[in-house]
Each structure stands twice: as C-alpha cells, then as structure tokens.
C-alpha cells in the first residue's frame, strides 16, 4: 500500500467522521426547534390590565362601567384617531398616552392644558401607575384594574 493510498484512506475516514458530526448536530438543533427548546417561553407572571370608566363627566361617548384592555400604547384626547376619544371641553386634542411594557404601566402627559391627575395629584410629564389608581383627564375619571386569572 502506497503513501498516497494511505493518505486517501485517512482523509476519507476523517471526512466521513466530520460529515457524521455535522449531521448529528444539525439533527440535534432541529429536534430542539421542533420540541420548542430553542424558543423563549412566555412568562407566566404576565399581568393583564385595563381601565374602567368610573365617571363619564361631560363625555357623551363614554359609558360608566365600560372597560378597555390596556395593550401596547393607548392615546386619549379630543382629536380623531385617539384610542379613547373624549368630547370634554377640559381635554386637549392629544391629552395623554398610556404605555404598557414589561408589566409596567406608564401614563404620559402630552403637554395638555389642564393636566392629568393620578389619585387627585397632578403629574408632570409621566408617571407609573398601578392597579386601583384613579386617573382624571378633564372631567372623566378612570380606574386602573388588573384582570384576575382563572
């Protein structure tokens, strides 16, 4: 057996071993992907929040007791295009923005004329809000509620 035939045999065996390792790891990755091992699992501690209308004030388009689920960003004001449209003379066109992110709720005053009151205290710019906080925008009063798990 010559040197070239020996080297061909050694490289052939090495190639087959490397090929088997590549196939093994590819199958391992595909198995994890199919079983969901490579996917982030959603936290079971995710909380659902909403706002309930406690008092409609001068707003004829709101109904007391109605609830809006808080997801992502909610805008409140008199202008068309806001998530919650108010027809209150004390509300600005773009009055407030509520942002839900990472189980935290933040309300931001969008330079409104009459401001936002959280639990009867006026806020400047933005504030974190929690369940059972009362929000007054113009003459409307909302309450932050947390959805119960079944």
């Amino acid at each position: 057996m010559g040197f070239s035939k020996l080297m061909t045999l050694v490289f052939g065996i090495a190639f087959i071993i490397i090929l088997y390792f590549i196939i093994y790891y590819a199958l391992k990755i595909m198995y994890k992907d199919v079983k969901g091992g490579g996917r982030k699992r959603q936290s079971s501690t995710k909380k659902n929040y909403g706002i309930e209308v406690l008092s409609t004030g001068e707003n004829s388009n709101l109904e007391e007791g109605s609830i809006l689920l808080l997801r992502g960003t909610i805008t409140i004001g008199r202008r068309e295009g806001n998530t919650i449209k108010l027809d209150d003379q004390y509300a600005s066109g773009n009055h407030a923005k509520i942002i839900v992110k990472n189980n935290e709720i933040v309300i931001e005053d969008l330079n409104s004329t009459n401001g936002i009151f959280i639990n009867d205290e006026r806020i400047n710019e933005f504030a974190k809000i929690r369940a059972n906080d009362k929000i007054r925008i113009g003459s409307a009063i909302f309450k932050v509620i947390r959805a119960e798990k079944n």
Side-chain angles (χ1 to χ4, degrees):
M1 190 186 253
F3 181 72
S4 63
K5 286 188 178 184
L6 182 63
M7 290 305 290
T8 305
L9 181 66
V10 169
F11 281 120
I13 292 172
F15 177 75
I16 291 173
I17 291 172
I18 291 171
L19 186 63
Y20 275 111
F21 274 116
I22 291 171
I23 292 171
Y24 171 76
Y25 282 111
L27 289 173
K28 188 175 174 183
I29 290 169
M30 286 189 283
Y31 176 77
K32 277 186 176 180
D33 201 27
V34 168
K35 289 295 181 183
R39 183 174 10 151
K40 281 188 177 179
R41 295 172 198 237
Q42 288 190 357
S43 174
S44 61
T45 61
K46 185 167 182 160
K47 300 172 186 164
N48 291 319
Y49 292 98
I51 55 172
E52 177 183 7
V53 179
L54 293 181
S55 172
T56 61
E58 296 180 7
N59 297 287
S60 60
N61 58 335
L62 294 178
E63 187 176 323
E64 284 187 23
S66 60
I67 297 172
L68 178 69
L69 187 62
L70 294 177
R71 292 259 188 231
T73 301
I74 306 256
T75 56
I76 303 170
R78 281 196 328 226
R79 284 201 180 124
E80 292 292 329
N82 282 307
T83 312
I84 300 174
K85 186 178 179 305
L86 304 175
D87 55 3
D88 186 338
Q89 66 177 343
Y90 300 108
S92 297
N94 292 319
H95 199 101
K97 179 168 44 171
I98 300 174
I99 303 164
V100 180
K101 189 173 182 182
N102 298 330
N103 286 335
E104 288 188 346
I105 311 169
V106 176
I107 189 165
E108 181 180 354
D109 188 343
L110 301 175
N111 296 321
S112 63
T113 305
N114 295 311
I116 300 170
F117 291 84
I118 307 292
N119 299 324
D120 294 323
E121 187 175 316
R122 187 173 179 150
I123 65 160
N124 296 322
E125 295 181 24
F126 64 91
K128 286 185 182 180
I129 52 178
R130 294 181 274 308
N132 298 320
D133 282 350
K134 291 182 181 167
I135 304 167
R136 186 175 48 143
I137 296 175
S139 61
I141 300 173
F142 304 93
K143 180 179 179 182
V144 179
I145 58 172
R146 186 170 147 209
E148 297 295 323
K149 287 188 174 184
N150 292 332

